[in-house]
Amino acid sequence: MDLSFKCFRGFYFSVATSNVVCVYFCWLPQSNSGGMELGDGSLNPGFRDVDGGSAAEDPGKEKRDPEYAQIKPYAGMPKEVLLLHSCKARYRVPREILFWLMVACTLALVALTVTVIALSPRCMNWWQVSPVYQVYLRSFKDSDGDGVGDLKGIQKQLEHFQYLNIKSVWVSPFYRSPLRDSGYDVEDFRAIDPLFGTMQDFEKLLAEMHSKGLKLIVDLIPNHTSDRHRWFNLSRTGDPHYKDYYVWSDCNGSAPRPNNWVSVFGNSAWTYDDVRGQCYLHQFLKEQPDLNFRNPHVRKEMTDIIHFWLEKGVDGFRVGAVNRLLEAAHLRDEPQVDPKKAPESVASVWDLHHDYTTSQLGLHDLLRDWRAEMQAYSREPGRYRFMVTESYDYHEVDKTMMYYGTSLVKESDFPFNFYLLDLPQNTSGLWVKHLVQLWMANMPKGQWPNWLVGNHDQPRIASSAGHTYIRAINMLLLTLPGTPTTYYGEEIGMENNNGTDGPARDPAGKYNASASQDPQRSPMQWSSDMNAGFNNKTNTTWLPLHPDYRSINVKAQMEDEGSVLAQYRSLNTLRQSELPFLRGWFCFVHADASVFSYLRELDGLSRAFLMVLNFGGEPAVTDLSSVPELPDLLTVQMSTNRSNDDKVLHKSRIPTEAGEGLVIQYTTNTRFHPNHPEQCYVSEKACYLSAVDLLYQC
């Protein structure tokens, strides 16, 4: 039976008001007689008469039965009825409650978003997250069979970086050059040397690297050019614009020494030029004349070169020999280390205090200008342009720290830290702690540290420290705070090739065979195939291969889970996946004649890591029972000796073999650093809120 309302709209004429009134009538069918019962009637208050009079009024409004005063809501009701009911409290109040609840929720979400953004720590840059991998171009991979590594060779081996989870690649010079100093004597800063490829090869390499999420850092050598550079040829002929592009001084051919300054490679830093009739300064080879950065035109030239490569899309620069960019204008003799030594016998850089040839006033202004130019290219998200400086300051660590800049003006993102190069001098836990603390204690607050144990100028660490320690050294690099730099081949434990035949390629070796840098530049050992996989087309390599390449190579170690390569890869993955290694505190825990131990922890995170590294010559047992913040039982997550993985050790007795390193993971709610502030450091400080899995500033 249909019990739905039946309605119609009717009109009647009110004699009292002379208005036409509109009325709705509704009824329900009767179940027994089929008759009709009128429902409530309602006036339409918005109805107006034909003359445009005021809204109609019901003269019998007060006399009608309340039963017909209004109509119940029903499906399909006209807007007049809907508006009548929508004003009732039982409908209006819930609606208003929902509205204000939505407003409150929206405001709460906005406030929460602002709070999260305000408290979130700064995002880490790509050069902080990944190790920097140094490619020595001539020795990395040969693609065309001439025996020399090239740009296409790097492109063919990009999967190697991805396998290691490395995102930052630094490539040695590839500019057009006579190659008197392995490419560090630049003839044209805007051209690729044909030995290494073409500009098109470079652009393809860069594009593919970016498509794979890799960043490219290139070498910038601003201190000097090649003597074949166009600027030098114009300067020596007296061109008015280029006359002062280099450092010239009056002298004569019979006594070409305006002062006692000495070249890095030995003997006088001055050479007489027959064309100009003056001497020019060269702090390196005589084929590498020093630019005069006191000349604003030279500064402008170098800035334009920086712009050229930034426009190409490079992600950063390693700026070489920055401490030598400026020399004292007065050209006075430098003080001798041994005043009693005859002045005419001064022939080595170690014979002089370099008060007038290094770290001169104005140097940091120059670097800050270059940093400002790079900042202009760093505004696009994800395209930060990185700058690292090279300055060998030896015991004057305070000079090195100045390259960080100040809290107001930035220079390099970090200066290279060369102090771990001294690690082979004394393989002991105390010595390693000293070298680490030397940097951490002098580094300006809030700056980012970095570490390296080798490069193209230094002997390979596996040779100088001993192959026994290469695993522990890699563990040290990848668990210390900051950015590690890996020289090609260190990830597989390559050693110096001291059995090179023929004349030295390195200029230092031509003056002193024992100082040659050729041994650490031997070709990369990719496989046990012909030429170690470096050159698969011809039986030619620019330097001899190390004879151990058949057993020490990338391919063999990829198939061995216990290899140096496998350990390096695992450590790098651990470093990038665990917050304490990137953002956490670094704290010294213990050091003795053999063992160096430290921990990494993050406020709010119960998971922490303890490193125990044995750099001594004998097995050792370390007792850390005096450290109450450590739990009694510790689990070895990773050991350089795989047989010790997953072992449970008591903190009072932690055994290690010579050259063994342990990564121990433990759980605690007690932090070490609050009780030992003098032993702890942090750069990118953050805290962890486990309830919502969130990092925040603290």
Side-chain angles (χ1 to χ4, degrees):
M1 178 180 296
D2 183 10
L3 296 179
S4 61
F5 278 103
K6 306 297 183 181
C7 299
F8 72 91
R9 184 171 62 177
F11 302 88
Y12 71 86
F13 179 77
S14 172
V15 177
T17 62
S18 300
N19 287 329
V20 177
V21 180
C22 174
V23 183
Y24 288 87
F25 297 95
C26 298
W27 64 93
L28 284 170
Q30 298 298 316
S31 58
N32 50 0
S33 62
M36 300 291 183
E37 178 183 344
L38 285 176
D40 293 342
S42 177
L43 298 179
N44 181 358
F47 186 87
R48 297 178 182 273
D49 63 19
V50 294
D51 294 327
S54 61
E57 296 181 3
D58 181 7
K61 175 178 178 181
E62 297 178 359
K63 301 177 181 179
R64 288 204 312 271
D65 191 306
E67 182 182 359
Y68 300 98
Q70 54 181 284
I71 306 170
K72 296 178 181 179
Y74 61 91
M77 71 183 78
K79 66 180 182 180
E80 293 84 359
V81 180
L82 179 62
L83 290 172
L84 178 67
H85 288 285
S86 66
C87 295
K88 293 181 179 180
R90 59 178 172 175
Y91 298 112
R92 187 185 72 252
V93 172
R95 187 171 66 247
E96 291 179 354
I97 292 174
L98 288 174
F99 171 76
W100 289 112
L101 185 61
M102 291 178 64
V103 170
C105 289
T106 301
L107 292 175
L109 285 173
V110 171
L112 179 62
T113 302
V114 171
T115 302
V116 169
I117 293 173
L119 293 180
S120 294
R122 184 180 64 87
C123 292
M124 302 193 74
N125 268 305
W126 53 266
W127 51 271
Q128 295 175 302
V129 175
S130 168
V132 173
Y133 188 101
Q134 183 188 355
V135 170
Y136 190 72
L137 183 53
R138 301 184 83 175
S139 299
F140 195 64
K141 176 66 177 178
D142 175 20
S143 69
D144 56 11
D146 64 355
V148 177
D150 47 45
L151 296 172
K152 284 185 177 180
I154 297 177
Q155 188 172 349
K156 287 185 176 181
Q157 298 297 333
L158 293 182
E159 290 183 357
H160 182 61
F161 307 131
Q162 292 182 300
Y163 174 78
L164 294 176
N165 198 22
I166 282 175
K167 306 296 183 185
S168 310
V169 181
W170 157 34
V171 179
S172 62
F174 44 72
Y175 310 110
R176 180 176 294 157
S177 167
L179 300 174
R180 294 293 183 89
D181 185 18
S182 305
Y184 289 91
D185 49 327
V186 180
E187 182 179 345
D188 187 345
F189 286 99
R190 292 180 173 88
I192 305 295
D193 194 282
L195 185 68
F196 304 127
T198 65
M199 185 61 76
Q200 186 178 17
D201 294 336
F202 174 82
E203 291 168 350
K204 286 182 177 179
L205 169 64
L206 183 59
E208 186 166 348
M209 288 182 69
H210 285 170
S211 70
K212 294 180 181 295
L214 303 175
K215 304 292 184 179
L216 178 61
I217 304 165
V218 301
D219 252 319
L220 181 67
I221 310 103
N223 179 71
H224 49 262
T225 69
S226 165
D227 60 354
R228 297 188 187 179
H229 198 288
R230 182 177 66 91
W231 301 342
F232 187 72
N233 288 323
L234 290 169
S235 183
R236 69 198 298 240
T237 56
D239 184 283
H241 181 75
Y242 294 95
K243 180 180 179 181
D244 295 325
Y245 263 48
Y246 296 83
V247 181
W248 295 93
S249 179
D250 291 333
C251 67
N252 58 66
S254 60
R257 282 183 63 125
N259 55 35
N260 70 345
W261 295 358
V262 177
S263 160
V264 169
F265 294 109
N267 299 318
S268 177
W270 297 93
T271 292
Y272 180 74
D273 181 67
D274 293 329
V275 175
R276 180 152 168 162
Q278 284 184 307
C279 286
Y280 63 87
L281 176 69
H282 55 88
Q283 295 202 59
F284 292 87
L285 296 176
K286 65 182 180 63
E287 293 86 1
Q288 296 171 289
D290 275 35
L291 285 166
N292 176 20
F293 277 100
R294 300 192 185 280
N295 183 337
H297 295 296
V298 174
R299 293 187 180 219
K300 178 65 166 54
E301 293 276 14
M302 197 56 62
T303 299
D304 290 344
I305 290 167
I306 291 172
H307 284 176
F308 176 83
W309 290 106
L310 291 175
E311 290 290 341
K312 287 287 183 184
V314 301
D315 300 289
F317 294 100
R318 173 264 192 183
V319 189
V322 292
N323 58 330
R324 299 179 180 274
L325 288 176
L326 290 174
E327 305 81 19
H330 53 64
L331 303 184
R332 297 173 187 161
D333 281 355
E334 291 189 314
Q336 294 183 195
V337 174
D338 181 5
K340 298 179 181 179
K341 189 171 186 176
E344 60 273 12
S345 64
V346 171
S348 167
V349 290
W350 306 110
D351 292 335
L352 300 173
H353 294 291
H354 301 289
D355 295 343
Y356 305 139
T357 54
T358 63
S359 305
Q360 296 299 294
L361 186 65
L363 164 64
H364 293 281
D365 293 330
L366 180 60
L367 294 174
R368 289 165 189 169
D369 289 343
W370 292 345
R371 175 72 262 180
E373 298 294 335
M374 296 176 66
Q375 286 296 102
Y377 288 83
S378 300
R379 294 169 184 162
E380 182 182 348
R383 291 306 310 276
Y384 182 84
R385 307 306 174 95
F386 169 72
M387 180 171 135
V388 57
T389 49
E390 177 208 35
S391 176
Y392 285 93
D393 297 302
Y394 304 102
H395 64 281
E396 297 178 301
V397 64
D398 55 319
K399 288 186 177 180
T400 303
M401 296 302 164
M402 293 179 68
Y403 294 104
Y404 276 114
T406 69
S407 58
L408 299 177
V409 184
K410 188 173 184 178
E411 289 187 35
S412 58
D413 291 292
F414 55 71
F416 268 137
N417 174 4
F418 296 118
Y419 292 98
L420 282 183
L421 294 173
D422 294 335
L423 189 150
Q425 294 180 13
N426 181 357
T427 52
S428 74
L430 288 169
W431 177 243
V432 177
K433 178 186 177 181
H434 164 72
L435 296 176
V436 173
Q437 192 169 26
L438 182 64
W439 190 271
M440 298 302 293
N442 288 280
M443 184 179 68
K445 184 178 179 180
Q447 295 294 351
W448 189 253
N450 72 102
W451 316 92
L452 60 80
V453 292
N455 59 30
H456 58 288
D457 292 329
Q458 305 296 329
R460 289 192 174 274
I461 195 67
S463 295
S464 57
H467 203 277
T468 300
Y469 301 96
I470 186 62
R471 295 170 182 263
I473 291 171
N474 280 339
M475 183 173 284
L476 176 73
L477 286 180
L478 292 167
T479 56
L480 284 173
T483 299
T485 297
T486 295
Y487 184 50
Y488 83 97
E490 285 178 355
E491 73 273 29
I492 59 173
M494 280 181 61
E495 299 185 27
N496 288 346
N497 183 16
N498 296 315
T500 56
D501 299 324
R505 297 294 191 97
D506 175 55
K510 296 176 181 179
Y511 293 96
N512 180 358
S514 64
S516 175
Q517 296 166 349
D518 289 345
Q520 58 261 30
R521 300 177 181 179
S522 60
M524 179 66 174
Q525 297 163 198
W526 294 105
S527 68
S528 59
D529 298 334
M530 179 181 70
N531 298 322
F534 167 74
N535 175 8
N536 298 325
K537 296 185 176 180
T538 62
N539 194 20
T540 302
T541 58
W542 80 284
L543 282 176
L545 295 161
H546 196 291
D548 69 2
Y549 77 87
R550 290 180 177 82
S551 57
I552 298 179
N553 61 73
V554 172
K555 185 178 179 181
Q557 293 195 15
M558 287 179 68
E559 298 170 354
D560 179 5
E561 294 182 357
S563 66
V564 176
L565 180 68
Q567 176 202 279
Y568 182 97
R569 184 181 184 226
S570 297
L571 284 167
N572 191 26
T573 300
L574 179 70
R575 175 184 179 273
Q576 297 185 42
S577 61
E578 291 289 351
L579 288 172
F581 288 111
L582 291 176
R583 295 205 181 255
W585 288 85
F586 164 80
C587 298
F588 296 108
V589 174
H590 175 82
D592 58 30
S594 296
V595 171
F596 174 44
S597 180
Y598 53 95
L599 61 80
R600 306 300 309 277
E601 62 183 16
L602 181 71
D603 288 312
L605 187 67
S606 60
R607 186 170 63 257
F609 296 88
L610 172 71
M611 270 57 65
V612 181
L613 308 173
N614 187 342
F615 290 101
E618 302 291 336
V621 176
T622 304
D623 181 4
L624 298 181
S625 58
S626 61
V627 185
E629 293 84 359
L630 293 175
D632 290 338
L633 297 180
L634 303 167
T635 301
V636 177
Q637 178 169 343
M638 183 186 303
S639 170
T640 55
N641 180 356
R642 291 188 67 212
S643 63
N644 291 329
D645 287 357
D646 301 322
K647 280 189 175 180
V648 177
L649 306 174
H650 196 279
K651 69 177 181 180
S652 63
R653 187 174 178 81
I654 304 176
T656 51
E657 297 293 326
E660 183 180 6
L662 305 177
V663 176
I664 297 172
Q665 179 180 319
Y666 63 94
T667 301
T668 181
N669 292 318
T670 305
R671 301 273 75 86
F672 181 88
H673 70 84
N675 300 323
H676 309 274
E678 72 286 351
Q679 297 176 234
C680 298
Y681 304 88
V682 66
S683 294
E684 294 287 341
K685 185 180 179 182
C687 294
Y688 180 72
L689 187 60
S690 58
V692 290
D693 190 24
L694 180 71
L695 277 175
Y696 64 94
Q697 294 182 19
C698 55

